[in-house]
């Protein structure tokens, strides 16, 4: 039985590689490459540091063990939707007892890139603490118990939460969490590096009480057993090892109970929270948007912005970037010049970048527009309207905040006029690009950055680069005018305001015209580009 | 416009190939007004491709499609005003609620907002979706998705309704609701054209049937005439030529093991 589950896991790994297209394979290879430094970094850390710094050794091992445990608990939660082998309910129809399943799934969980990396890292502890004599048996045992803690704990948590994780809300949330976590992790690394530089030996003493708490956690017990065994205190080591092993047994029991529940009780019906029907148009924008097709498309786009996880991530990242700019300006006194307010133009530009594939989020659902014989011009105007609203709101907000930080209130109207020009111009380019080079965005939650279809990633990249370059070239006159205004002749900035609006408006009309003309005769072709190719 | 055309749907020489694979190999079809037409055929026979081409969603390689006398591929906007579509794969704007989706569809078709509002309310009520009007379509069950898509297709009161597998994976209660709605609809002079695997249902509902096989229409006409005294299923199996292989090989299926 266990053998079957292990070979199932191996087959899943193999087929995952075989089935996926080359960008996915590259991503997998990159993932493995990222795992290698972590594995060997962990190995070296555990192998070398305890010998060099015996005092810090125990604390270090405790922290590493705890981090491994938490990582094992957290990471599978985030990849649950993408990994078929993590969902126990897929095995519910097989005539298996929980005992067989626990044994089989435990072994299967030990197969894969992550367990291998963990074992390599933990191997460092054997090298670091292993001594000649009976102690080495306990050292190896402590490492294995720590490994089991990670695996059994992770599986138990996953099984207990498996129902919640399958819900649509959880999957949506995970998409947002993964992306924002990646950013936050990066930030935390930066901050952590700064803090580590300041850490002195005296601070190590201050950390003692925290270390004492860590020592009584199951991972801490395993760590203490490891250190004690390495230093020849065999009896305490055995006691601590027994404590950690008991924790593994308890986690295993929890896992067993959860499995039993998941496999034998019916899934409760999803609770549907019905909103008060508020109509298609967001209340705050009801007056602003026209009540026809253009307004409907714009309202739909804005609703999606709030409800689609991918779009949520996109604007959250934009907002984070804006926030980073504000923090940067506030902290760097040298940059507190009033013209920094013009930095808010970045938001206008960012808001327009989603429009380069403004039909992509519709995907195959675009058939609704084709079947309805929707007016292509109204369709494009509606999408542009939504982008313009979000772009102007974020630009205005950032301009106001930056003005409050730098005192450059006079630059706010300039930023708004230029922002309108930049948005209009970029949307004009997007109206042409988005109808000629549309591609569908995958709906599943497993890979946020994936592009559907084989070998499309490259083409998409090239198209986006060309569009980006075109926008850049068209922006040059405005940039030149602003530079002249900032460096030599301030009235040029005043001149730039109406010019930017007129210039942007003109280019938008041109782009809209070209896009509309092509789309009018080619709606079915756009639909074909947005639909995943199926057998007839 | 073709003068004197009385057919709801008229198809001549319709062809479509995907690479080397010919999906639809030249179809001719004439469906009168007020007809309940069933299109049946095994998987991969070309039913969905045909429906895609006659509704203006998939460009044919060759052929002519007239709806109510209007050429679909020459004047798509005018033709689409007369038709409603329920496609098979049900990709919808599912981050809208049911009510929002209907409003969206109505405004896309250029209908006045007040009319859309009134009709959407009635449709939701009749189809039993009134309680779920404020729920996101992504949280709907399969049957509910079918019903909201059907409501979208009916919203502008089209003269010809195309439904691809409307009864697939639908519970009996919903199926009965949909059936009743469609019968009432054709009684009013409208035309319903649908594809299905459920022969018994097609036999019961349809005045005319067409049987597709390997991209061709191998039989078409009034239901009674096509089935010629047999059940439609028997007629279908005979025309398509089912294989009998495997009947002996699975002999162990009747023997129980411990």
């Amino acid at each position: 039985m266990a053998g079957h589950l292990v070979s199932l896991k191996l087959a899943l790994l193999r087929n995952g590689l075989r089935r996926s297209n080359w960008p996915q394979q590259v991503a997998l290879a990159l993932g493995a490459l990222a795992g290698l430094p972590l594995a060997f970094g962990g190995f070296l850390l555990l192998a070398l540091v305890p010998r060099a710094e015996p005092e810090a050794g125990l604390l270090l091992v405790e922290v590493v063990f705890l981090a491994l445990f938490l990582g094992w608990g957290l990471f599978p939660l985030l990849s649950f939707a993408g990994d078929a082998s993590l969902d126990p309910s897929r095995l519910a129809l097989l005539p298996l007892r929980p005992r067989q399943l626990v044994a089989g799934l435990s072994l299967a969980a030990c197969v894969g890139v992550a367990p291998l990396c963990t074992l390599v890292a933990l191997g460092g502890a054997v090298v670091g603490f292993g001594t000649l004599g009976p102690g080495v048996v306990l050292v190896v045992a402590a490492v294995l118990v720590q490994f089991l803690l990670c695996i059994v704990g992770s599986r138990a948590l996953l099984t207990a939460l498996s129902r919640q994780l399958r819900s649509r809300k959880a999957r949506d949330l995970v998409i947002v969490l993964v992306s924002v976590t990646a950013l936050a992790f990066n930030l935390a690394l930066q901050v952590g590096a700064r803090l580590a530089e300041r850490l002195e030996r005296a601070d190590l003493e201050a950390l003692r009480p925290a270390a004492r708490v860590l020592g009584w956690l199951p991972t801490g017990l395993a760590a203490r057993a490891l250190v004690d065994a390495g230093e020849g205190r065999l009896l305490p080591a055995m006691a601590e090892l027994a404590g950690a092993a008991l924790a593994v047994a308890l986690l295993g029991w929890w896992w067993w109970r959860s499995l039993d529940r998941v496999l034998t009780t019916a899934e409760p019906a999803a609770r549907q929270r019905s909103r008060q029907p508020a109509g298609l148009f967001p209340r705050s924008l009801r007056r602003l948007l026209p009540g026809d097709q253009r307004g409907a498309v714009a309202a739909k786009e804005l609703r999606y912005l709030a409800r689609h996880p991918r779009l949520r991530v996109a604007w959250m990242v934009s907002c984070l970037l804006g926030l980073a700019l504000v923090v940067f300006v506030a902290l760097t006194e040298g940059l507190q010049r009033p013209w920094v307010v013009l930095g808010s133009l970045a938001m206008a530009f960012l808001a327009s970048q989603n429009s380069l594939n403004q039909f992509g989020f519709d995907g195959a659902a675009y058939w609704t527009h084709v079947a309805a014989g929707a007016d292509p011009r109204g369709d494009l105007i509606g999408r542009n309207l939504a982008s313009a609203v979000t772009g102007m709101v974020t630009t205005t907000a950032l301009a106001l905040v930056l003005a409050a930080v730098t005192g450059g209130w006079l630059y706010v109207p300039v930023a708004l006029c230029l922002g309108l020009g930049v948005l209009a111009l970029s949307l004009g380019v997007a109206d042409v690009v988005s109808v000629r080079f549309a591609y569908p965005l995958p709906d599943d939650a497993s890979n946020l950055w994936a592009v559907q279809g084989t070998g499309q990633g490259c083409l998409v990249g090239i198209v986006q680069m060309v569009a980006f370059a075109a926008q850049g070239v068209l922006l040059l006159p405005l940039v030149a005018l602003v530079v002249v205004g900032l460096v030599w002749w301030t009235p040029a900035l005043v001149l730039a305001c109406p010019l930017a609006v007129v210039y942007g408006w003109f280019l938008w009309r041109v782009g809209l015209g070209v896009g509309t003309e092509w789309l009018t005769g080619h709606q079915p072709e756009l639909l074909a580009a947005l639909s995943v190719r199926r057998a007839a | 416009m073709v003068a004197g055309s009385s057919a709801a749907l008229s198809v001549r020489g319709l062809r479509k190939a995907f690479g080397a694979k010919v999906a639809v190999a030249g179809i001719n079809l004439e469906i009168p007004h007020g007809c309940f037409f069933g299109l049946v055929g095994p998987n991969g026979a070309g039913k969905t491709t045909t429906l895609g081409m006659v509704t203006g969603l998939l460009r044919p390689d060759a052929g002519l499609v007239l709806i109510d006398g209007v050429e679909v591929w020459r004047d798509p906007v005018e033709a689409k005003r007369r038709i409603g579509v329920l496609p098979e794969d049900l990709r919808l704007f599912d981050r809208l609620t049911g009510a929002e989706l209907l409003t969206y569809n109505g405004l896309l078709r250029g209908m006045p907002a007040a009319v859309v509002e009134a009709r959407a309310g009635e449709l939701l009520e009749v189809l039993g979706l009134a309680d779920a009007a404020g729920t996101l379509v992504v949280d709907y069950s399969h049957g509910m998705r079918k019903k909201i898509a059907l409501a979208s297709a009916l919203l502008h009161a089209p003269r010809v309704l195309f439904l691809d597998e409307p009864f697939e994976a639908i519970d009996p209660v919903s199926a009965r609701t949909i059936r009743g709605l469609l019968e009432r609809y054709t009684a009013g002079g409208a035309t319903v054209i649908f594809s299905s695997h459920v022969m018994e249902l097609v036999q019961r509902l349809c005045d005319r049937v067409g049987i597709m096989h390997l991209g061709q229409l191998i039989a078409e006409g009034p239901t009674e005439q096509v089935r010629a005294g047999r059940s439609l299923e028997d007629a279908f199996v005979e025309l398509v030529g089912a294989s009998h292989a495997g009947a002996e090989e699975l002999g162990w299926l009747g023997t129980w093991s411990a």
Side-chain angles (χ1 to χ4, degrees), chain B residues 113-131:
Chain B
V115 176
V116 175
E117 207 73 11
R119 288 189 184 174
E122 270 184 70
L123 279 166
L124 288 170
E125 194 66 50
V126 170
L127 288 167
L129 290 172
D131 289 339

Side-chain angles (χ1 to χ4, degrees), chain B residues 131-153:
Chain B
D131 289 339
T135 306
L136 294 191
V137 175
V138 72
D139 292 332
Y140 275 19
S141 68
H142 189 80
M144 291 163 85
R145 286 173 79 92
K146 277 253 149 108
K147 288 195 282 186
I148 197 72
L150 182 66
S152 307

Side-chain angles (χ1 to χ4, degrees), chain A residues 101-469:
Chain A
L101 264 180
V102 166
L105 286 174
S106 310
L107 269 177
C110 301
V111 178
V113 177
L116 191 69
C117 290
T118 310
L119 271 182
V120 169
L122 285 175
V126 180
V127 175
F129 292 93
T131 48
L132 291 175
V136 77
V137 179
L138 283 175
V139 165
V140 172
V143 164
L144 286 181
V145 165
Q146 162 66 15
F147 184 65
L148 281 180
L149 266 176
C150 289
I151 286 189
V152 176
S154 151
R155 289 288 157 147
L157 185 67
L158 210 60
T159 306
L161 292 178
S162 66
R163 276 200 182 140
Q164 284 83 343
L165 285 172
R166 264 203 310 280
S167 77
R168 199 251 319 156
K169 284 246 167 70
R171 276 180 283 130
D172 283 3
L173 188 68
V174 159
I175 291 196
V176 175
L177 276 183
V178 168
S179 326
V180 179
T181 311
L183 268 182
F185 183 68
N186 217 337
L187 210 72
L189 270 188
Q190 307 264 348
V191 174
R194 298 279 146 74
L195 280 181
E197 278 170 19
R198 293 185 194 166
L199 198 70
E200 306 252 327
R201 199 152 293 272
D203 296 325
L204 221 55
E205 285 307 310
L207 286 175
R208 283 277 172 235
R212 214 163 292 148
V213 176
L214 285 186
W216 283 103
L217 295 175
T219 51
L221 285 174
R224 276 164 53 187
L226 177 74
V227 174
D228 283 341
E231 291 169 4
R233 295 188 295 275
L234 296 186
L235 267 182
M238 271 152 87
E240 284 147 0
L241 201 57
L246 183 69
V248 173
L250 281 176
L251 283 172
W253 181 75
W254 184 35
W255 183 15
W256 184 339
R257 291 296 305 267
S258 307
L259 258 182
D260 202 29
R261 189 171 51 85
V262 169
L263 296 181
T264 56
T265 56
E267 192 132 348
R271 247 185 318 132
Q272 284 168 1
R273 190 168 59 92
S274 195
R275 304 154 195 251
Q276 196 62 35
L280 179 63
F281 293 85
R283 189 159 296 157
S284 49
L285 293 169
R286 217 163 275 177
R287 294 251 169 74
L288 193 70
L289 297 175
D292 55 7
Q293 188 202 330
R294 295 169 299 171
V297 174
K300 187 267 284 175
E301 293 286 304
L302 292 171
R303 289 267 185 230
Y304 261 58
L305 216 52
R307 293 177 187 165
H308 198 291
R310 280 168 175 276
L311 285 165
R312 256 191 240 167
V313 169
W315 65 255
M316 277 169 103
V317 169
S318 304
C319 288
L320 276 180
L321 287 178
L323 195 72
L325 181 64
V326 173
V327 171
F328 184 67
V329 170
L331 291 182
T332 339
E333 281 168 24
L335 260 180
Q336 288 200 7
R337 307 264 166 76
W339 54 263
V340 165
V341 171
L342 295 184
S344 58
L345 290 178
M347 299 310 271
F349 194 68
L350 277 179
S352 71
Q353 293 309 296
N354 260 338
S355 299
L356 285 177
N357 188 24
Q358 54 189 342
F359 291 89
F361 284 101
D362 288 10
Y366 181 69
W367 74 265
T368 313
H369 288 232
V370 186
D375 170 31
R377 189 182 162 80
D379 195 344
L380 283 170
I381 291 179
R383 289 167 203 268
N384 292 167
L385 247 173
S387 297
V389 167
T390 45
M392 283 320 284
V393 167
T394 45
T395 307
T396 311
L398 188 58
L400 290 178
V401 174
L402 282 175
V405 174
T406 61
W409 294 102
L410 269 181
Y411 284 90
V412 173
V414 180
L416 294 190
C417 287
L418 284 173
L420 206 57
V422 169
L423 252 176
L425 174 164
S426 311
L427 289 176
V429 174
D431 282 347
V432 180
V433 173
S434 64
V435 294
R436 296 305 299 267
F437 302 101
Y439 56 95
L441 293 162
D443 229 15
D444 67 344
S446 53
N447 185 354
L448 188 63
W449 315 113
V451 174
Q452 209 135 40
T454 39
Q456 253 185 334
C458 188
L459 178 70
V460 166
I462 292 171
V463 168
Q464 303 249 343
M465 291 277 275
V466 171
F468 197 71

